[in-house]
Amino acid sequence: LESVETAKHYMEKTGTATGLRVKVRVIDKLYKAGRKYAADFKEKMVIQFDELLPKWNYVAIPDAIG
């Protein structure tokens, strides 16, 4: 793909025969490679799993870390 806009365009055109549509939001943020995290970060992170597709859809909530 040539650009982020092109990828977004094709993702937004995705759908199913039953009418499922895709919403696309591009997060324009740089993420630094090699960032370190606290040793207990994974244990304290709160994960909310989606009821329908918990294996694929979830939200990680870092604010819960004390």
Side-chain angles (χ1 to χ4, degrees):
L1 299 172
E2 298 290 324
S3 67
V4 172
E5 290 79 23
T6 302
K8 181 178 184 264
H9 169 76
Y10 285 111
M11 286 188 281
E12 287 175 331
K13 290 178 68 174
T14 302
T16 66
T18 59
L20 179 68
R21 302 294 302 159
V22 174
K23 290 185 180 180
V24 180
R25 183 177 68 170
V26 177
I27 300 172
D28 194 20
K29 180 179 177 182
L30 295 176
Y31 293 89
K32 294 181 182 177
R35 289 179 54 189
K36 302 295 179 193
Y37 56 87
D40 61 350
F41 175 77
K42 290 182 182 179
E43 290 79 24
K44 290 186 175 183
M45 175 71 75
V46 173
I47 306 292
Q48 287 182 339
F49 293 95
D50 183 72
E51 290 181 27
L52 183 61
L53 296 169
K55 218 173 182 181
W56 295 341
N57 297 324
Y58 57 88
V59 177
I61 306 170
D63 295 338
I65 296 174

